[in-house]
Amino acid sequence: MPAIEDFRAETRDWLDEFCPPGARAGGGGDRTDMQTWRERLIEKGWSAPTWPTQYGGGGLDNEQYMVLIQELRRVRAGVPFGGMGLSLIGPTLLELGTEDQKERHIPPIVRGEVAWCQGYSEPSSGSDLASLRTRAVDNGDHFVINGQKIWTSGAQVADWIFALVRTDPDVPKHEGISFVLMTMHQPGVTVKPIRLISGSSPFCETFFDDAIARKEDLVGEINKGWTIGKRLLQFERGSMASLVGGAAVKEAGPTLEGEAKKYAGEADGRIADGDLRERILTHNINNQAYRLTQRRTVEEARDGRTPGPATSIFKMYGTELQQDKSSLFVEMRGTQGLGWDGDGFSRREIEDTRTFLANRAASIYSGSNEIQRNIIAKRVLGLPD
């Protein structure tokens, strides 16, 4: 315990000295301060705190990372890093990639120099992902890729894509899939953003017409990509970063209680509407139980590895909590919760309405909640088919 307290003291001193005022909540978000903060985090290795130091990470264990998150919260400092590089492909390469792949791809992710996107779903292969048809044909030192992906988050700004492709059409569908990396900056890649009901376009259609994936960017063995693709989804559903962060960080923004008192009224310091008060209380209890479960999972995973199929529990229940919260924000406002645009609604009201609409998809993407329940039943509880 003294060692972790020493780490806390050192972290606290470092943050007090090196985190600029403009990088803290309420500090105005000064661009110069934010850039300085970004550079200092990279130099410290805290853009990827738990990754190995040899690739530019911080080398922290889970307990130290929990302390870091808590101390960041104390000084109200944000961490200007994220994306699929840090949360998905980075952890996958660290666990399953070759040394060459780690040396080429991990440091640019740590430094925030590249953006990644995911090429999994196809127009006819969503829930049944293993039926994918995007082909990769061996052409000596590279593969030639032809096909289409859909719901490709962030493809319009991505530099690289990790994709599941079919390399053998003559074997059972799960056995003929490979996992490849390829640059998005090549003539054979076309991206078309999809506009959603929330008004944003985070997802895209991505087309490959004789695109190239180099052989050295094949992750794992040829035709063995299904296993790697599943492992990456476990990072997506419950990476150590999200588990530790979710267990330690208080959510930002207006609270349900505060907004309910504003819109539904207040009596004796409590939300006036009894039914709404009970629903918010239930949500808060469930949310706290969820976060405590995240924390317990982190503490049990002493080797630092992401848990296996049990991560489906976090994806399933987390999205339902997310949807429940956004529904409460909209419902408590009555007609003011219907504002998609217009002068009659505040920016916060519009943002929450659009968040509510966007969150309807949360229980579908990254594997629908129905699929997660099947995984939990089979892989976690061991129930028969």
Side-chain angles (χ1 to χ4, degrees):
M1 189 58 68
I4 196 65
E5 290 308 316
D6 288 345
F7 176 77
R8 183 183 296 277
E10 293 169 3
T11 300
R12 181 167 295 191
D13 290 344
W14 189 88
L15 291 175
D16 288 342
E17 181 177 358
F18 292 109
C19 182
R24 308 184 188 205
D30 180 80
R31 288 188 178 183
T32 301
D33 277 1
M34 290 299 295
Q35 182 59 33
T36 299
W37 179 229
R38 179 184 177 90
E39 292 169 357
R40 288 174 178 172
L41 286 171
I42 292 173
E43 183 179 359
K44 188 75 170 175
W46 284 356
S47 56
T50 61
W51 290 10
T53 56
Q54 70 190 91
Y55 305 116
L60 304 186
D61 60 29
N62 293 341
E63 191 174 17
Q64 289 172 324
Y65 185 39
M66 182 76 78
V67 168
L68 172 59
I69 292 295
Q70 292 167 345
E71 291 303 314
L72 285 167
R73 174 183 169 187
R74 180 186 63 84
V75 298
R76 305 179 71 197
V79 180
F81 299 94
M84 296 186 182
L86 284 170
S87 62
L88 301 181
I89 190 60
T92 303
L93 290 179
L94 285 171
E95 184 174 309
L96 301 169
T98 65
E99 187 58 35
D100 171 68
Q101 289 167 349
K102 295 174 187 177
E103 291 177 352
R104 285 190 293 112
H105 292 294
I106 297 299
I109 293 174
V110 172
R111 295 191 297 267
E113 295 173 348
V114 296
W116 285 80
C117 62
Q118 179 183 48
Y120 274 27
S121 295
E122 299 183 6
S124 59
S125 302
S127 296
D128 182 18
L129 178 59
S131 67
L132 63 90
R133 295 185 294 180
T134 294
R135 288 290 306 276
V137 177
D138 192 327
N139 193 30
D141 64 350
H142 65 272
F143 296 101
V144 178
I145 315 295
N146 283 278
Q148 178 188 355
K149 298 293 182 178
I150 198 167
W151 310 120
T152 320
S153 302
Q156 70 270 51
V157 296
D159 303 295
W160 282 78
I161 186 171
F162 51 91
L164 291 173
V165 294
R166 187 158 302 284
T167 41
D168 189 343
D170 299 322
V171 297
K173 60 183 181 181
H174 293 87
E175 299 174 13
I177 294 173
S178 297
F179 190 105
V180 298
L181 317 174
M182 69 183 101
T183 177
M184 296 288 282
H185 304 303
Q186 57 173 302
V189 178
T190 302
V191 176
K192 297 182 179 180
I194 302 170
R195 185 171 174 83
L196 305 181
I197 193 174
S198 62
S200 62
S201 300
F203 305 118
C204 302
E205 295 177 282
T206 306
F207 300 88
F208 304 105
D209 298 291
D210 290 338
I212 300 300
R214 299 187 301 174
K215 283 288 183 67
E216 55 262 42
D217 283 321
L218 169 69
V219 181
E221 299 179 40
I222 190 78
N223 296 329
K224 302 296 183 182
W226 185 248
T227 298
I228 296 171
K230 289 192 299 180
R231 182 58 178 154
L232 181 139
L233 289 178
Q234 289 171 355
F235 284 115
E236 180 176 37
R237 294 162 187 163
S239 69
M240 277 299 151
S242 66
L243 292 178
V244 175
V249 180
K250 182 179 181 180
E251 295 181 14
T255 65
L256 286 168
E257 295 91 329
E259 293 295 283
K261 290 176 181 178
K262 176 180 175 181
Y263 286 90
E266 181 178 356
D268 299 325
R270 302 193 304 171
I271 300 167
D273 186 307
D275 178 68
L276 179 59
R277 184 170 65 244
E278 183 177 346
R279 289 178 62 194
I280 291 175
L281 177 62
T282 299
H283 171 84
N284 289 343
I285 291 173
N286 290 339
N287 189 54
Q288 184 63 14
Y290 174 70
R291 293 187 179 279
L292 288 172
T293 303
Q294 286 181 301
R295 180 163 187 162
R296 187 182 73 243
T297 300
V298 171
E299 293 172 348
E300 290 173 350
R302 293 300 183 184
D303 61 355
R305 288 172 57 87
T306 292
T311 55
S312 291
I313 298 171
F314 295 113
K315 196 280 179 184
M316 181 196 73
Y317 196 68
T319 55
E320 292 179 354
L321 280 173
Q322 180 182 344
Q323 291 175 336
D324 182 53
K325 182 177 182 180
S326 63
S327 296
L328 284 166
F329 270 126
V330 168
E331 292 174 25
M332 72 174 62
R333 292 181 174 137
T335 56
Q336 291 303 114
L338 302 177
W340 194 90
D341 202 1
D343 295 335
F345 305 95
S346 70
R347 190 174 84 171
R348 181 74 209 184
E349 290 167 346
I350 291 172
E351 286 177 355
D352 284 346
T353 298
R354 294 191 177 197
T355 297
F356 165 79
L357 293 169
N359 281 347
R360 297 309 93 194
S363 53
I364 300 174
Y365 57 64
S366 302
S368 70
N369 279 18
E370 289 79 8
I371 290 176
Q372 305 313 319
R373 285 182 169 86
N374 284 338
I375 294 172
I376 294 166
K378 295 178 182 179
R379 305 291 179 82
V380 180
L381 302 177
L383 299 178
D385 290 338

